[in-house]
Amino acid sequence: MSNQRRAWRTGLAVVMAITGAVALPAAHAGADEVAPAAEKLQDDFNGDGYADLAVGAPYATVGGKAKAGYVAVLYGSASGLKTSTKRVFTQNSAGVPGTAETGDLFGGALTTADLDEDGYADLIVGAGGEDTGAGTDAGLVEVVWGGARGLSGAASVASGEVGDRLGAQGRLAAADVDGDGATDLLTVKKQRHLAVTRGPFARDGSVVNPGQVVEDRYNSRVLDLAVGDINGDGITDVAATENDADYFDSRRIVYWYGTRQGLTPYTLVYDIDGAGLQGGENLDLGDVNADGYDDIVVGRAIDGHGSDADTYRAKGGRVTWIPGTAEGPDGVKATFFSQASPQVQGASEKGDRFGTDVQVGDVNGDGYEDVVAGIPGEDQGTTADVGTVVFLRGTADGLTAVWSRVVSQDSAGAIPGVSEKGDSFGQALHLGDHNADGRADLAVGGPGENAGSGSVWSFLSGGHVVTGGTTIVFGNSLLGTVASNARLGSGFAY
């Protein structure tokens, strides 16, 4: 579930770890060709030109407190992610406000942005289960500040009211939604009202600009947020997947336009019949057909509800591509993909969860944004829920399954490890150029690996096929954290 556009993505190439995959020609940039200041990486915490990786383990035990949670950070380098400079942040870490407590779920939502305008990306962390003076499960959002030496120092930047679960999974993003040049923080109050805290932020987490709350008059629940320019006016917009609080399968897609006066009330994406287009649980934004408008890509991973009966390709999960236009997203022209689609490997089976954590980026370097999505419920033979990842191509005509590829831990010569029951490989995904070679690299979370301790795989692009020699795998042993039920790899900072 993506919460932030990545500044590097257009024109870069990702080469997935797929044996025998066909790779299109990709332009390469020299390692010393760092983007100018105006195009700094959104996830470069130390400003060295390499994208860094932050991954959450919100269910981890910290200081004896179950589900207190932590965030692990690996910095990028000319050779990719460096395990030697790993960092782990908890609410027991020096300088981080608060204390690790049972059920805080620190790291349940993550995003990155330069909140204090010092030129370095900051790490923004949600703790949706935090109890505060406002009451139980109010929730808290904190920022760990970036700098020349990496992440250090922290502050609280937003807190909720009783039951808000502010900063919970899917309900955190950052972007300049009013076009004033400062990054704003986006959270969700009462699980349905979109709250904007206007930047810039001081180092103590305070702001001077008035914020905005866009209220939802319905009994909605926001499931995921994403940001991008969906009408091409140069100001960032916000999109979300929602459902009715009483009817989970009433999933809809909504968006708020960014304007100089702030966000507009939300608008619903409609289908060809004039009804609300059936949404999903997660989404990302990107220009799949390279027409200058960001498109909405929605993952509907959970099936088995009544609405499946009249939802195209719902069985086993689906991905929906909705083109952006000057008038907003065009749900009438939506295109749907699942494992029932021609040229997509596998078969649609209940519980596959095809479309988990969709991510948009230029995978093959042809100038069109592509889509990667997890299938963490995919079985291998009689082994259940081992998980895979699927790649769909962007073209001038939109998203296509032509040359689609599926990768798992059993892809020969590609990925260390063996698929095992409950690994949930592909539960979370991330794209970032960790070695600044002009190719974005893919990280995959498998929170069920090793009996629920969790692992992360990072594939460094190189040539036409990523091999085991260019892949790192890390887990709680490397990080020095408590492994039992940590579920490392549950989500990444976007």
Side-chain angles (χ1 to χ4, degrees):
M1 55 200 71
S2 176
N3 298 322
Q4 184 163 337
R5 294 283 307 276
R6 290 161 294 277
W8 48 263
R9 72 185 185 190
T10 302
L12 299 183
V14 178
V15 179
M16 287 188 66
I18 306 167
T19 301
V22 179
L24 299 181
H28 293 266
D32 58 344
E33 297 177 19
V34 179
E39 299 177 6
K40 281 184 177 293
L41 300 176
Q42 296 282 2
D43 45 7
D44 182 7
F45 302 127
N46 56 7
D48 62 358
Y50 304 106
D52 307 314
L53 182 73
V55 56
Y59 303 99
T61 297
V62 177
K65 306 297 184 180
K67 298 182 181 179
Y70 71 79
V71 181
V73 174
L74 271 66
Y75 293 103
S77 73
S79 57
L81 293 176
K82 297 186 296 183
T83 58
S84 60
T85 58
K86 64 185 181 298
R87 294 290 306 277
V88 175
F89 295 94
T90 75
Q91 287 186 295
N92 286 347
S93 298
V96 177
T99 302
E101 299 167 314
T102 300
D104 280 348
L105 300 177
F106 182 82
L110 300 169
T111 191
T112 62
D114 184 6
L115 291 186
D116 59 353
E117 298 186 317
D118 66 350
Y120 299 96
D122 307 310
L123 174 63
I124 306 165
V125 184
E130 179 82 11
D131 298 341
T132 72
T136 303
D137 290 340
L140 183 69
V141 178
E142 300 182 326
V143 56
V144 185
W145 301 110
R149 296 185 179 181
L151 294 165
S152 65
S156 297
V157 289
S159 60
E161 300 174 1
V162 59
D164 269 359
R165 302 192 68 83
L166 200 80
Q169 184 180 33
R171 298 171 184 158
L172 181 64
D176 178 11
V177 298
D178 56 12
D180 66 353
T183 300
D184 309 310
L185 180 67
L186 304 171
T187 56
V188 179
K189 298 181 70 65
K190 301 300 182 186
Q191 302 183 47
R192 70 181 190 273
H193 305 313
L194 189 60
V196 181
T197 305
R198 294 184 59 204
F201 291 74
R203 295 285 289 194
D204 63 0
S206 62
V207 295
V208 297
N209 294 320
Q212 178 189 16
V213 176
V214 187
E215 295 194 354
D216 185 339
R217 66 182 184 273
Y218 301 107
N219 194 19
S220 305
R221 292 294 181 268
V222 171
L223 304 176
D224 195 21
L225 293 175
V227 294
D229 188 0
I230 56 181
N231 62 353
D233 66 354
I235 301 179
T236 304
D237 311 306
V238 184
T241 54
E242 291 186 345
N243 71 301
D244 188 287
D246 299 315
Y247 302 98
F248 180 78
D249 61 336
S250 178
R251 284 163 280 181
R252 52 184 174 264
I253 308 159
V254 302
Y255 58 95
W256 300 260
Y257 284 130
T259 73
R260 297 289 181 184
Q261 293 74 43
L263 294 177
T264 64
Y266 86 62
T267 302
L268 195 66
V269 176
Y270 295 97
D271 65 15
I272 195 169
D273 297 319
L277 182 65
Q278 274 286 334
E281 301 79 43
N282 70 98
L283 79 168
D284 195 12
L285 273 61
D287 193 359
V288 171
N289 56 1
D291 64 353
Y293 305 100
D294 279 339
D295 312 315
I296 299 177
V297 180
V298 179
R300 180 189 172 100
I302 300 176
D303 60 353
H305 289 276
S307 61
D308 290 359
D310 57 2
T311 299
Y312 185 54
R313 286 183 171 155
K315 184 179 180 180
R318 77 176 187 185
V319 170
T320 302
W321 171 69
I322 306 164
T325 73
E327 289 74 39
D330 188 352
V332 173
K333 294 183 179 179
T335 306
F336 309 97
F337 301 87
S338 72
Q339 287 184 291
S341 301
Q343 299 177 305
V344 175
Q345 180 182 327
S348 290
E349 300 165 315
K350 185 177 180 179
D352 280 347
R353 289 183 283 157
F354 181 97
T356 296
D357 201 14
V358 292
Q359 296 293 309
V360 182
D362 188 357
V363 172
N364 52 27
D366 62 356
Y368 300 100
E369 304 284 345
D370 310 301
V371 174
V372 291
I375 320 175
E378 182 82 334
D379 300 341
Q380 295 282 5
T382 59
T383 308
D385 298 337
V386 300
T388 60
V389 176
V390 64
F391 158 64
L392 302 170
R393 289 179 55 237
T395 72
D397 296 320
L399 199 62
T400 179
V402 176
W403 289 0
S404 67
R405 294 291 183 269
V406 173
V407 59
S408 74
Q409 289 187 75
D410 292 333
S411 296
I415 302 177
V418 177
S419 294
E420 299 168 312
K421 181 180 179 180
D423 280 351
S424 297
F425 182 87
Q427 180 68 41
L429 304 175
H430 180 270
L431 296 173
D433 188 4
H434 300 304
N435 64 348
D437 67 349
R439 294 175 176 267
D441 309 309
L442 173 68
V444 179
E449 180 80 2
N450 298 326
S453 64
S455 288
V456 175
W457 292 256
S458 176
F459 307 108
L460 187 63
S461 300
H464 295 295
V465 178
V466 178
T467 66
T470 55
T471 303
I472 66 168
V473 182
F474 65 91
N476 290 274
S477 295
L478 171 72
L479 301 174
T481 48
V482 177
S484 179
N485 298 315
R487 299 195 65 79
L488 175 66
S490 294
F492 295 96
Y494 303 105

